[in-house]
Amino acid sequence: MKINYFILFFLMVFYTKAQQIPFDTSFYSKGEIKSIRYKYGERYGEAIIRYFKQSVNKLDKNQPIVDTAFWDNDPAKKEWKKYQGGTRIFIYNKSYLFMEKSTFKDSYTYNTIQGSYEYYFKELNNLEFDIAYTKDTSITFFLLGIYDTTGGGKPLKDKFFFSRYKGMKMDTGESNHIYKCGNYGTVYLTFSKYNLLATFFFYPNNEQNSAVGYEFYPNFFCKKHGHCFGRLAIGEWQEYHENGNIKSIGNYEIYDEKSFKNYRKVGLWQYFDNRGLSIKKETWKNGVLLK
């Protein structure tokens, strides 16, 4: 399968246009914003529907989760999982996933995936991981690079790995997919048995700086996100439900710092159900859960 670079270019320009004309806003039953339809221009009839999280949690409320682009300006096509066109999932406030084409019917029908997928990380100097699939989830395209987003379009600034395949199945083991990214750092990837990206870790060349880690659900939503030294979590970590709402949020600390062997929860930890309702709160100090 060949990636349609024109569509990818047009998609990026489409999403980065400054002028958006909002109309046709809908709401959930409790007043939270459900979706807003934006119109970008008359020439191509472009429009997107931006869907927002359905959550009573103030950390999630009115936060975007999915953009779906419609070139024919047809608002009836609202199922982004079935739509063949431009889609963007907001993984985190400094990263997101573009889907240039998506044809799978639901989160669990893996063998109908087809299209190109771009994992974009603004927090990592605009590092991007691009991958494309056939209908049986075989990989046909793989690229790791950094794009220049300062001007118009999306020119490739640095390319660290590029390959085309007739139909590639990725090894699911850890430490089998390691890619050097020049002066920036090193990317470690793991894949599920369905060839989907399972984890993404970026380790900067400067070992004084923490690494960035992501874990993904099969539906491409983020499962976990945070920072670490080695594989020891440090600082704030967020875990998400499969619908995109926050499941837990809290901080880790590393102790026994000379050997960097252990980490533990510290301070306030909050837990929520998939609707955003608070389940419990914990406070940790020196590895002990306070009553």
Side-chain angles (χ1 to χ4, degrees):
M1 188 187 94
K2 293 184 179 180
I3 281 196
N4 190 328
Y5 285 100
F6 174 78
I7 293 178
L8 293 181
F9 169 80
F10 187 65
L11 180 62
M12 288 300 296
V13 174
F14 177 80
Y15 278 122
T16 54
K17 282 186 178 180
Q19 186 175 5
Q20 301 178 17
I21 306 173
F23 64 100
D24 193 21
T25 301
S26 65
F27 299 87
Y28 292 109
S29 59
K30 293 187 178 181
E32 306 99 329
I33 296 175
K34 181 179 182 180
S35 66
I36 299 177
R37 191 171 173 217
Y38 293 91
K39 195 169 185 178
Y40 279 82
E42 299 292 341
R43 181 178 178 184
Y44 299 103
E46 310 101 332
I48 66 168
I49 292 181
R50 175 167 295 174
Y51 297 94
F52 294 79
K53 293 183 178 183
Q54 184 178 12
S55 176
V56 298
N57 185 348
K58 65 180 182 180
L59 299 173
D60 283 326
K61 189 174 182 180
N62 294 335
Q63 292 299 308
I65 190 168
V66 171
D67 279 355
T68 303
F70 304 103
W71 311 128
D72 58 358
N73 212 9
D74 185 355
K77 298 177 180 179
K78 293 186 177 182
E79 283 292 331
W80 66 270
K81 293 177 182 177
K82 299 178 182 178
Y83 179 70
Q84 297 187 29
T87 304
R88 175 172 64 178
I89 295 175
F90 294 87
I91 301 174
Y92 183 64
N93 63 351
K94 292 185 179 180
S95 63
Y96 43 77
L97 165 65
F98 277 112
M99 293 181 179
E100 180 264 318
K101 184 179 181 183
S102 177
T103 59
F104 64 100
K105 295 180 180 179
D106 57 55
S107 302
Y108 305 99
T109 312
Y110 305 111
N111 62 352
T112 60
I113 290 175
Q114 180 180 0
S116 61
Y117 301 79
E118 307 171 41
Y119 295 81
Y120 179 70
F121 305 96
K122 291 185 288 185
E123 63 182 325
L124 302 176
N125 296 308
N126 298 327
L127 180 68
E128 187 170 303
F129 167 60
D130 298 349
I131 192 167
Y133 295 95
T134 60
K135 289 184 178 180
D136 67 350
T137 71
S138 295
I139 294 173
T140 60
F141 179 89
F142 188 107
L143 184 145
L144 185 66
I146 288 181
Y147 290 86
D148 183 3
T149 59
T150 57
K154 188 187 169 189
L156 187 64
K157 183 179 178 181
D158 290 299
K159 181 169 64 177
F160 308 119
F161 183 85
F162 170 78
S163 185
R164 292 185 181 275
Y165 307 98
K166 292 183 177 180
M168 176 72 171
K169 294 292 184 179
M170 287 294 190
D171 190 341
T172 59
E174 290 193 15
S175 302
N176 292 330
H177 306 286
I178 303 173
Y179 305 92
K180 297 288 186 181
C181 299
N183 296 324
Y184 299 98
T186 304
V187 168
Y188 289 73
L189 306 177
T190 63
F191 292 85
S192 72
K193 62 181 179 180
Y194 303 104
N195 254 1
L196 303 178
L197 184 63
T199 62
F200 176 102
F201 282 86
F202 176 83
Y203 291 86
N205 286 337
N206 185 348
E207 296 182 355
Q208 300 297 319
N209 297 328
S210 60
V212 177
Y214 289 85
E215 185 175 343
F216 296 95
Y217 284 112
N219 68 353
F220 302 100
F221 283 175
C222 186
K223 186 176 183 180
K224 293 180 180 179
H225 170 265
H227 292 253
C228 57
F229 281 105
R231 286 301 175 96
L232 301 180
I234 188 172
E236 183 179 281
W237 273 78
Q238 297 182 10
E239 184 176 4
Y240 302 87
H241 293 284
E242 202 163 357
N243 66 357
N245 291 341
I246 290 180
K247 184 176 182 179
S248 67
I249 183 170
N251 285 270
Y252 289 101
E253 65 177 357
I254 296 175
Y255 65 103
D256 190 10
E257 294 186 1
K258 291 182 179 180
S259 58
F260 276 87
K261 290 183 178 179
N262 300 290
Y263 69 100
R264 61 194 178 191
K265 294 180 178 179
V266 62
L268 176 65
W269 275 77
Q270 301 179 72
Y271 302 85
F272 308 92
D273 67 13
N274 60 7
R275 298 166 297 171
L277 295 173
S278 178
I279 298 175
K280 65 177 180 178
K281 295 181 180 180
E282 299 175 342
T283 301
W284 293 81
K285 185 176 181 180
N286 297 327
V288 177
L289 176 60
L290 302 181
K291 293 183 180 181

